[in-house]
Amino acid sequence: MMASRSTTTTTTTTRANLGGISSARAAFRYPKVGRPSASRVRNNSPLLRSSVAPSSGPRTSRLRMANDTLQDVSTEEGYADSRGASQVYFYKYQGLGNDFIMVDNRHCPDPIFSSEEAVALCDRRFGIGGDGIIFLMNPPTAADLASEDPDATSTAKAAEYDYAMRMYNSDGTEPEMCGNGIRCLARFVAELEEHTVPRSYKFHTLAGLIVPEVNPNGMVSVDMGEPRITPEEVPTTLKATGENENYPNSVVLQELAVGGEMEAVPSAEEMFAPYEERMENQMKRRTQGEVKERWLVTCVSMGNPHAVTFGRPGEETLGGTLDVENLDLDYYGPLFEKHEAFPEKINTHFCKALYDNPESLDDLTDAVKVLHWERGAGRTLACGTGACSVVVAGVLEGRLKEKCLVYVPGGPLQIEWRRSKDNHVIMTGPAQLVYKGLIPV
């Protein structure tokens, strides 16, 4: 981003070498910064405005985008506008720091950007920057659903959906769904269409039906559906452990070996090896990546696969004392993501249970701190489906309550697994517009 100052603050976004996207310039003006109105303060964003209708009933408000006109300033600065008329609006949203490029794609049945172009757009130095790009699509027709599942009652199914969601990760891969992304998409729709909230939407995703609800306070609650916990549903080649007698077919506290080929403790054969070999092995054990490490994982699918760990076997896991603050996430994350036990790769979450009384570790707690490593995106500040899987895994392991605050690097998410009601997982968290602009195509 380059910024130039004049009477009005102007920001110009330059696009270059984006794998098929024009290298011409796109720009927009920010509104003058002044004292925010009460409605702006209420929405916690200088670019969002809401008008609250006075009523004696439940609080409602109408959300809309700021109506500041996007202006092409390239011609004002003396640059020829070679883009023609092919320009697409984009909207940058974030949920607890997990950020996405939003595009209204309802005029086209397929995403208007390819996976290669998505990689370029998500680049934080040469593109807009983001953990992914999300396309708002029209809902599928009965014919579309029939082609996906010939046995489904496609006409009735088609009536269930208001919109559809497609997305690419920052590496160009297409995930089934994204929890933070669906929250941002719901807020995007509410503001784009100037809908009155609270309002819920039914989205068709590659993970199935997802129903988020936008609330007047800017928070979005999402019914994530039922967790899948059998090895085939995750999927993983790890076997069900029977560790939880209520869910005997689930993968709970299963041992997973990652890292090198060397065992942490020398074998008897190695201990009596020649001196030079023993010294060489000692040096290898001090080198990261040479030693095989064993972790205990619980596997959950929320429409996409997740591995949750509270640590290695022993006191670290039993006490939930994994030192997530000093964990080398950039080292361990890829080891889990690409492990052969996960045929579709895996999102991994390193957790530390938070107790009011550290001496009462046998009690269930309602707070957990998490680091996320997402397949296709790497380290992220938040992961909605990941936070859901953490609570499900913590309940299965007998350490977390069914309703928890999950503290991720970007802030807290509220997660509830309603086991006794409908077995659905409910996620609640913020979603916010950051800025908007034009993409030349």
Side-chain angles (χ1 to χ4, degrees), residues 141-423:
T141 64
D144 294 332
L145 294 173
S147 64
E148 293 177 8
D149 184 2
D151 298 326
T153 54
S154 53
T155 302
K157 282 277 187 183
E160 290 184 1
Y161 301 109
D162 300 314
Y163 304 96
M165 169 188 180
R166 293 278 300 276
M167 74 171 292
Y168 292 121
N169 287 319
S170 57
D171 72 344
T173 57
E174 183 172 12
E176 297 86 351
M177 207 273 295
C178 173
N180 283 318
I182 198 76
R183 287 204 323 274
C184 290
L185 185 59
R187 185 78 188 262
F188 173 50
V189 169
E191 292 165 346
L192 191 67
E193 304 289 357
E194 298 187 12
H195 287 157
T196 299
V197 295
R199 179 165 179 153
S200 62
Y201 303 95
K202 296 179 180 179
F203 282 96
H204 177 270
T205 74
L206 297 184
L209 173 66
I210 302 293
V211 184
E213 180 178 356
V214 181
N215 300 306
N217 62 358
M219 303 292 277
V220 181
S221 298
V222 185
D223 184 340
M224 304 292 288
E226 297 187 57
R228 292 88 151 177
I229 54 179
T230 65
E232 298 77 22
E233 291 172 320
V234 173
T236 177
T237 58
L238 298 176
K239 304 300 181 183
T241 58
E243 187 74 25
N244 187 309
E245 60 182 19
N246 294 321
Y247 300 92
N249 296 321
S250 60
V251 180
V252 179
L253 292 172
Q254 178 65 280
E255 190 173 279
L256 182 74
V258 302
E261 297 299 322
M262 296 189 67
E263 297 289 346
V265 179
S267 64
E269 180 181 354
E270 184 182 336
M271 292 178 66
F272 290 99
Y275 175 80
E276 292 79 5
E277 183 178 336
R278 284 185 283 126
M279 291 302 100
E280 181 181 355
N281 288 336
Q282 283 189 26
M283 292 301 295
K284 284 184 177 180
R285 284 192 171 85
R286 296 175 184 175
T287 304
Q288 191 176 59
E290 293 288 346
V291 177
K292 182 186 298 182
E293 297 184 44
R294 288 177 169 79
W295 293 72
L296 294 179
V297 300
T298 295
C299 297
V300 178
S301 171
M302 294 302 307
N304 52 354
H306 299 271
V308 178
T309 180
F310 284 82
R312 305 167 185 84
E315 183 178 350
E316 185 176 69
T317 294
L318 295 177
T321 58
L322 177 63
D323 186 7
V324 293
E325 289 85 356
N326 297 307
L327 181 78
D328 190 349
L329 185 62
D330 294 320
Y331 169 68
Y332 288 109
L335 295 181
F336 280 78
E337 178 187 359
K338 301 173 183 177
H339 197 284
E340 60 184 8
F342 308 112
E344 297 180 7
K345 298 187 179 180
I346 201 80
N347 301 287
T348 310
H349 315 285
F350 300 88
C351 311
K352 179 180 181 179
L354 304 177
Y355 296 90
D356 292 331
N357 182 4
E359 302 299 324
S360 302
L361 300 183
D362 291 335
D363 298 335
L364 298 180
T365 183
D366 60 0
V368 59
K369 189 172 185 178
V370 181
L371 290 183
H372 300 295
W373 184 271
E374 296 190 57
R375 58 172 187 170
R379 177 195 296 263
T380 59
L381 295 178
C383 176
T385 53
C388 295
S389 69
V390 165
V391 172
V392 171
V395 171
L396 293 175
E397 293 184 16
R399 67 175 80 247
L400 296 182
K401 296 180 181 179
E402 294 177 7
K403 188 174 183 178
C404 285
L405 279 178
V406 181
Y407 292 94
V408 303
L413 278 170
Q414 181 176 294
I415 307 296
E416 181 180 8
W417 183 14
R418 303 188 307 202
R419 285 198 298 170
S420 58
K421 183 179 180 181
D422 54 15
N423 201 40

